[in-house]
Amino acid sequence: MENGSKQWRFKARKDLTSASDITVRGMLNKLHGAIVATDTRPTVFLGHGDPSAFPCFRVTPTAVDAIVDSLRSAKFNGYAPTVGVLPARRAIAEYLSGNLPYKLSPDDVNLTSGCSQAIEVVLSVLSQPGANILLPRPGFPAYESRAAFSKLEFRHFDLLPEKGWEIDLDAVEALADDNTVAMVIINPGNPCGNVYSYQHLQKVAETARRLGIMVIADEVYERIAFGTNPFVPMGTFGSIAPVITLGSISKRWVVPGWRLGWLVITDPSGVLKQNKIVDSIHGCLNICSDPATFIQGAIPKVIEDTKEDFFKNTINILRQASGICYERIKEIDCLTCPHKPEGSMFVMVKLNLSLLEDIVDDFDFCFKLVKEENVVVLPGITVGLKNWLRVTFAIEPASLEDGLGRVKSFCVRHAKETVKNQNQNHNQE
Ligand SMILES: *Cc1c(COP(=O)(O)O)cnc(C)c1O
């Protein structure tokens, strides 16, 4: 029989086949597909969130030794317990307690396959019929995709560029209703590169308390702060409102491929335990796959043996690169950066389309940029802000200079004639 005439019963989920359009990965795949192979200049990647390929961000050899030792010990060849192996949970509890006003127990820590799986688990646990959660805009699209996948309603509150990307807490209060269960914050910020002050985080906790909701704190960039605000974990305010902290070794150790993350109950008052949220997290983890056991086995040594020098070096490179990024963008007429980055690996840049001749939106800008200049930048629409760009500065500083120089040439070439003439007059004055 012809395949065409046979009626098969299965159908593809439309929301999944189109899901790649709204993920960072899906968008970058599209842009990478547009790279012109005959361009002899090296491609400059300013769209990614994974700098592990660059020698200046290479993980410390002691962490690699920890993995090798873990494998050689032959103790971690089996399945791990649902929540992860005890020595790893103990090491993470101690590591995170160093920054908190109370001590976490290993039982507060659940190991996950990267921070991504921690997001999946927490959103699955919260997705009851009728419930809704509040998400930041701009934000990290995995939250929207995952919530949609779990049929959990989400509503957006804005981050305010003129206030250093602080949360519009009035909007949070206005958006919430009796069915709101949680709000998500990402600190240090992706995509904005901001770091929240102690005072602002306290207000977030007080708002959550008033609304009777929990705070989901994505701290995958924890301690990656190089501006004036030090990193303060949201768990500091866990006694005001319950906090679930998500993190991983992906960003601070620059090993996203090792897939080791955590979901931590930072709730000293025990509200989440009383309300059986902790039990449902364990139930969800029971049906999930775990991070590789030998990676779990290596965690105590990965954490203990990584010296401050490694982190200081990463922070210094990021501080220098973020400065280059901020200064070079200032020199480009059609781009503005409302807030100098002070953490994570990204900065949000606003496009002024009225100064450009033949660019219709942020996607068009990024598509033409990759074709003409072999530079990849993420369109802001991917992270929720149309006609903005997200620029990654976590690359070798020399390539960053090269890439931003090409962005400038591109913008000059596409500038409106009137703008070009004005600039010429200005230069002659
Ligand atoms: C990279 C990233 C994640 C995912 O982290 P993994 O540990 O690689 O799964 C989650 N949240 C944000 C904001 C990120 O930037």
Side-chain angles (χ1 to χ4, degrees):
M1 196 195 282
E2 288 281 322
N3 256 348
S5 57
K6 171 73 190 159
Q7 286 290 306
W8 299 108
R9 292 188 188 281
F10 42 81
K11 272 200 206 107
R13 261 182 79 163
K14 284 212 186 69
D15 59 338
L16 282 182
T17 43
S18 61
S20 66
D21 293 345
I22 50 163
T23 62
V24 173
R25 223 194 246 183
M27 182 63 85
L28 289 177
N29 286 345
K30 264 191 198 159
L31 289 167
H32 292 167
I35 291 172
V36 177
T38 49
D39 195 325
T40 52
R41 297 170 296 178
T43 308
V44 180
F45 295 100
L46 304 178
H48 63 90
D50 173 4
S52 60
F54 303 110
C56 68
F57 292 107
R58 178 88 20 98
V59 64
T60 160
T62 54
V64 178
D65 290 342
I67 301 286
V68 173
D69 291 348
S70 170
L71 270 173
R72 287 237 161 88
S73 76
K75 286 186 198 154
F76 302 104
N77 291 339
Y79 290 120
T82 297
V83 290
V85 303
L86 179 59
R89 289 186 291 119
R90 189 184 290 131
I92 291 166
E94 264 172 40
Y95 169 69
L96 296 178
S97 295
N99 261 349
L100 288 170
Y102 52 91
K103 234 177 130 35
L104 293 169
S105 123
D107 292 339
D108 294 321
V109 178
N110 303 279
L111 302 190
T112 55
S113 176
C115 184
S116 306
Q117 196 188 35
I119 295 172
E120 289 173 23
V121 169
V122 75
L123 295 188
S124 303
V125 164
L126 294 178
S127 53
Q128 307 239 36
N132 70 73
I133 58 163
L134 310 181
L135 300 179
R137 178 178 52 210
F140 186 65
Y143 287 92
E144 281 82 356
S145 313
R146 251 298 140 180
F149 182 78
S150 298
K151 308 207 185 305
L152 172 62
E153 183 192 336
F154 53 89
R155 303 171 181 183
H156 287 119
F157 56 85
D158 286 324
L159 306 183
L160 306 169
E162 65 283 3
K163 289 197 172 166
W165 298 107
E166 279 191 350
I167 294 163
D168 183 351
L169 289 171
D170 294 336
V172 169
E173 302 244 11
L175 279 173
D177 61 20
D178 293 346
N179 294 319
T180 305
V181 294
M183 66 182 286
V184 171
I185 70 160
I186 303 172
N187 183 49
N190 177 8
C192 302
N194 58 312
V195 177
Y196 290 134
S197 68
Y198 182 97
Q199 289 77 11
H200 187 61
L201 293 172
Q202 185 166 9
K203 281 187 198 151
V204 169
E206 285 160 359
T207 305
R209 183 179 183 85
R210 248 191 321 279
L211 298 172
I213 64 178
M214 71 173 84
V215 180
I216 299 165
D218 183 326
E219 295 179 355
V220 78
Y221 296 97
E222 54 106 28
R223 304 184 209 197
I224 307 185
F226 37 81
T228 43
N229 287 342
F231 165 72
V232 176
M234 188 66 215
T236 305
F237 307 100
S239 54
I240 301 177
V243 176
I244 295 183
T245 302
L246 315 181
S248 74
I249 59 169
S250 300
K251 309 294 162 67
R252 192 161 188 245
W253 274 266
V254 207
V255 286
W258 291 9
R259 309 309 305 134
L260 193 292
W262 49 81
L263 183 162
V264 178
I265 309 296
T266 33
D267 171 34
S269 312
V271 175
L272 298 174
K273 196 166 184 185
Q274 280 154 28
N275 287 279
K276 306 271 185 220
I277 298 290
V278 174
D279 288 339
S280 58
I281 288 169
H282 293 162
C284 188
L285 286 168
N286 263 332
I287 56 171
C288 287
S289 69
D290 311 325
T293 313
F294 70 91
I295 305 279
Q296 298 188 27
I299 283 298
K301 279 184 124 180
V302 167
I303 291 178
E304 276 156 36
D305 293 356
T306 305
K307 298 283 171 273
E308 256 330 289
D309 285 358
F310 170 75
F311 300 122
K312 274 196 188 136
N313 180 51
T314 315
I315 291 284
N316 284 339
I317 299 168
L318 289 173
R319 182 187 292 112
Q320 184 199 353
S322 68
I324 293 171
C325 199
Y326 188 69
E327 294 306 322
R328 290 293 163 270
I329 284 167
K330 251 200 222 163
E331 296 165 5
I332 305 175
D333 285 340
C334 64
L335 302 181
T336 41
C337 174
H339 186 72
K340 191 174 176 180
E342 50 198 18
S344 83
M345 304 172 174
F346 312 97
V347 61
M348 284 300 281
V349 176
K350 193 173 178 163
L351 255 182
N352 187 345
L353 290 171
S354 70
L355 300 179
L356 295 169
E357 186 65 64
D358 50 355
I359 307 282
V360 297
D361 60 15
D362 52 340
F363 184 69
D364 192 31
F365 181 97
C366 293
F367 228 72
K368 286 178 174 150
L369 178 68
V370 73
K371 282 194 175 144
E372 294 176 26
E373 296 289 350
N374 211 351
V375 176
V376 181
V377 169
L378 193 74
I381 188 74
T382 323
V383 294
L385 280 193
K386 193 171 170 60
N387 296 336
W388 287 66
L389 307 169
R390 187 192 75 172
V391 179
T392 305
F393 48 79
I395 73 167
E396 305 268 354
S399 317
L400 184 62
E401 292 268 14
D402 177 17
L404 292 171
R406 291 191 224 164
V407 173
K408 186 173 181 178
S409 315
F410 176 86
C411 290
V412 168
R413 200 164 56 246
H414 289 270
K416 278 198 176 138
E417 283 305 320
T418 50
V419 178
K420 280 186 196 162
N421 294 340
Q422 269 166 17
N423 275 352
Q424 262 165 16
N425 292 342
H426 185 74
N427 291 341
Q428 283 160 5
E429 272 162 19

